[in-house]
Amino acid sequence: METFLSQNGLSLVENENKFRSIITNKKIDIGKTIIISHPLISFPILTYNKIRCDQCLKKKENNLQTCSKCQRVYYCDRSCQKSSWISHHKLLCPLYKKSKNNMDEEMLKRVTILIEKFFNNNNNNNNENYLFETFLKLMTHRTEQSINNLKSFEKISNNTYENLNFNKISKDDLINYLCVFYCNNFNLHDNQLFVYGEGTFPIGSLFNHSCRPNAIVMYDGAVQIIKCIEVINVGEEINISYIDVALDRVTRKKMLQEKYFFECQCSRCSVQERYSGIFSKIDQLIEEKDQVITKKDFNTSLENWVSSESKLEQNESKFSKVTKLILSNLLSHIKNNTTDNDYINSLSEIISILFQNYSKTNLFYISSFSFTTKLFYDKIDLQQWYQSTILGNYILSIYLIIYPRYHPMIGLHLFTLGKCYWNDITNGLESVKESINILECAQKVLNITHNEGAENVDIINQ
Ligand SMILES: [Zn+2]
Ligand SMILES: [Zn+2]
Ligand SMILES: [Zn+2]
């Protein structure tokens, strides 16, 4: 594993608080691929199993061939079917008739078959042995798992043990593997960030979490790609995010504790920095304020703003003012090659201004955000393009506060917003100009986030 990491210019170092971290041995620039790694096992989730190959997870609508014996798994071609057969399917195919597996059981069976082969030293893929070594060193957090989890793990482990014969692996080991899956497995997502599969990626699991990450995780079929979104200097730690960083502090804390068993001490969550550091201030902005404003009140005022008859009335709204303030200051940092420092300084300034003027307004009412995005897509469906641009800009301004500037969420949103402007003819030439501006920004972000992997590159060429 150390060799594989060092080939990629990375090192694993011991760290008092976090057990271990990945640091870089060379400066990494924005948009560069940090590491590409393979899973021990990955497979499509149920809704995708007929359009994505069970072995390579590449998309191939309508043309997948099913295994004629079990008719439960689908492959893109003979070679994938053969690889799967040799890897695990030969043992699992006859079992599908008996029972229906849940995801955990399916993952456990496949991974354990491979680990048994690894222990028996007859694993065909010897150059991937580091994946097994790394997996077996991952933390189980077994003593911290809930009683319910452990009960279900025991049940799955019993089922698996009854169905398959293992010589070198005990029932207890299986419970450990399930514990590792629980806090390490990844959801594979497509270029639009829709989840299509689940995978055990031992190398990816070595990267620590941050709520303000300097790297993102992308996929191409079954392959995991970690990309740099902020300049990372020699000796600095590389962080990805395990959860959506748009969540508020309390929710993030709860999720990270329950699923990953740690208390986040990143630049946004650190107790020392609480509301003094720039990133921790973001959380104060998006947290619900004491003053009484219900979700319903907020949603109504948002709807009124978007659909107000006169443009003047619209411009007077706090929503408009905040949107304009943020976009006029931060969009240039996407388009131009400003340094991370310049960008953070601008962000810092904007956040201070928002604090002084709007800190009691709940303008960033994050628990209403699903309503806001739904309203945006409703306007698109209704082809109310002008209104969709108003809402799209407001959403963009929130994204620019909570996500790092070169985040896939920002790139994808810019792309959608650019198309809304293109369709909006009420403002004539102005909207054509704005459309080009927004689409150029989208291209800049997507060239950083989506420039590796065939399916991802597709979106840039659109
Ligand atoms: Zn395939
Ligand atoms: Zn089969
Ligand atoms: Zn954090």
Side-chain angles (χ1 to χ4, degrees):
M1 171 237 298
E2 271 82 7
T3 319
F4 181 69
L5 289 175
S6 80
Q7 280 164 358
N8 286 275
L10 307 173
S11 299
L12 191 67
V13 294
E14 296 292 324
N15 167 322
E16 282 171 39
N17 306 323
K18 291 188 263 190
F19 181 60
R20 39 110 192 111
S21 11
I22 297 251
I23 60 158
T24 176
N25 305 324
K26 54 173 202 256
K27 180 176 171 239
I28 311 175
D29 283 322
I30 295 170
K32 287 276 173 306
T33 297
I34 297 170
I35 199 165
I36 294 181
S37 68
H38 292 270
L40 262 193
I41 282 294
S42 63
F43 49 81
I45 54 174
L46 205 59
T47 40
Y48 280 88
N49 73 345
K50 287 181 183 125
I51 50 171
R52 284 194 181 261
C53 170
D54 192 83
Q55 181 67 11
C56 70
L57 275 87
K58 293 229 160 77
K59 195 155 101 181
K60 198 177 178 193
E61 273 160 84
N62 306 325
N63 285 318
L64 292 180
Q65 300 157 6
T66 178
C67 167
S68 56
K69 295 194 181 74
C70 66
Q71 298 192 349
R72 283 287 296 274
V73 286
Y74 297 79
Y75 302 102
C76 66
D77 60 24
R78 286 253 159 237
S79 109
C80 273
Q81 182 166 17
K82 200 176 155 199
S83 304
S84 170
W85 188 258
I86 296 167
S87 159
H88 52 78
H89 195 65
K90 186 179 166 183
L91 294 170
L92 294 180
C93 188
L95 298 178
Y96 284 121
K97 280 171 211 137
K98 280 198 235 164
S99 67
K100 212 175 169 187
N101 292 341
N102 69 22
M103 296 273 286
D104 286 339
E105 190 169 335
E106 185 67 33
M107 184 64 77
L108 182 66
K109 284 178 175 165
R110 295 191 188 193
V111 165
T112 312
I113 289 169
L114 292 182
I115 292 180
E116 173 94 355
K117 282 188 205 172
F118 167 71
F119 285 152
N120 286 328
N121 247 336
N122 61 5
N123 186 342
N124 290 329
N125 236 334
N126 280 327
N127 55 2
E128 289 198 343
N129 279 352
Y130 68 92
L131 288 180
F132 295 92
E133 286 154 11
T134 311
F135 175 81
L136 294 166
K137 278 187 202 154
L138 293 175
M139 285 175 77
T140 62
H141 291 282
R142 185 156 167 177
T143 54
E144 294 155 272
Q145 297 277 358
S146 70
I147 310 265
N148 275 349
N149 276 358
L150 288 171
K151 261 191 204 159
S152 116
F153 293 168
E154 203 176 318
K155 202 175 143 204
I156 296 170
S157 154
N158 286 340
N159 276 351
T160 304
Y161 221 74
E162 266 168 37
N163 289 322
L164 295 159
N165 296 314
F166 299 117
N167 297 316
K168 300 236 156 92
I169 295 168
S170 68
K171 230 186 242 186
D172 199 60
D173 291 331
L174 296 191
I175 294 177
N176 282 336
Y177 300 165
L178 286 163
C179 291
V180 170
F181 297 160
Y182 181 79
C183 44
N184 284 283
N185 277 5
F186 288 84
N187 286 325
L188 292 85
H189 58 73
D190 64 14
N191 57 18
Q192 301 280 339
L193 309 182
F194 291 115
V195 171
Y196 61 76
E198 189 182 328
T200 300
F201 291 88
I203 297 297
S205 292
L206 298 173
F207 290 82
N208 286 326
H209 162 88
S210 167
C211 304
R212 189 77 192 187
N214 52 19
I216 51 160
V217 185
M218 301 294 284
Y219 296 89
D220 182 31
V223 171
Q224 187 180 62
I225 304 159
I226 298 188
K227 299 207 58 75
C228 172
I229 56 165
E230 190 185 287
V231 174
I232 311 173
N233 289 305
V234 178
E236 280 181 355
E237 183 177 6
I238 298 163
N239 288 116
I240 57 174
S241 181
Y242 298 172
I243 53 172
D244 184 358
V245 297
L247 297 163
D248 65 87
R249 190 175 55 87
V250 177
T251 314
R252 294 201 312 274
K253 188 178 166 169
K254 189 166 177 271
M255 284 175 83
L256 292 170
Q257 192 66 56
E258 284 173 2
K259 182 106 172 64
Y260 302 98
F261 308 107
F262 72 92
E263 182 150 11
C264 191
Q265 291 298 334
C266 75
S267 54
R268 219 175 129 183
C269 300
S270 158
V271 183
Q272 284 97 332
E273 296 211 40
R274 186 128 315 146
Y275 306 144
S276 61
I278 142 104
F279 298 129
S280 61
K281 275 191 179 140
I282 293 172
D283 281 318
Q284 201 182 8
L285 267 179
I286 66 175
E287 260 156 34
E288 284 170 40
K289 307 301 181 299
D290 298 332
Q291 92 184 63
V292 190
I293 173 173
T294 61
K295 214 169 177 171
K296 203 169 151 238
D297 287 344
F298 176 89
N299 296 353
T300 312
S301 64
L302 186 84
E303 264 183 309
N304 287 341
W305 168 57
V306 176
S307 54
S308 51
E309 290 294 324
S310 91
K311 223 175 152 185
L312 201 69
E313 202 181 307
Q314 221 155 34
N315 288 339
E316 281 304 301
S317 160
K318 284 190 183 115
F319 289 113
S320 285
K321 286 179 181 160
V322 161
T323 303
K324 205 172 158 200
L325 172 74
I326 298 172
L327 297 191
S328 63
N329 283 283
L330 294 184
L331 262 187
S332 60
H333 286 285
I334 287 191
K335 211 166 163 186
N336 307 327
N337 290 317
T338 58
T339 63
D340 286 332
N341 262 345
D342 284 348
Y343 155 63
I344 296 296
N345 285 339
S346 286
L347 183 64
S348 215
E349 253 170 59
I350 295 296
I351 288 175
S352 300
I353 298 171
L354 291 172
F355 250 84
Q356 281 164 18
N357 301 299
Y358 304 101
S359 60
K360 291 196 176 69
T361 56
N362 274 308
L363 274 169
F364 299 90
Y365 203 92
I366 220 73
S367 51
S368 246
F369 209 58
S370 55
F371 172 82
T372 310
T373 38
K374 189 185 169 293
L375 194 61
F376 173 56
Y377 284 100
D378 284 351
K379 297 292 172 199
I380 292 178
D381 286 343
L382 292 166
Q383 303 197 347
Q384 295 179 351
W385 301 114
Y386 177 62
Q387 292 176 339
S388 77
T389 61
I390 293 173
L391 261 175
N393 277 327
Y394 168 65
I395 291 169
L396 178 61
S397 67
I398 296 179
Y399 278 0
L400 287 173
I401 297 294
I402 53 182
Y403 288 110
R405 60 177 162 169
Y406 298 127
H407 192 279
M409 286 293 284
I410 291 185
L412 293 169
H413 182 70
L414 280 164
F415 190 50
T416 311
L417 179 59
K419 287 192 282 190
C420 293
Y421 269 112
W422 192 255
N423 288 312
D424 171 34
I425 46 163
T426 41
N427 280 323
L429 202 61
E430 269 310 297
S431 38
V432 176
K433 254 168 129 180
E434 198 48 33
S435 171
I436 291 168
N437 178 39
I438 294 286
L439 287 173
E440 277 171 5
C441 291
Q443 179 127 37
K444 177 78 191 282
V445 180
L446 296 173
N447 269 329
I448 289 163
T449 57
H450 285 65
N451 66 356
E452 182 85 51
E455 262 186 60
N456 294 326
V457 173
D458 267 359
I459 206 168
I460 303 176
N461 299 332
Q462 255 182 47

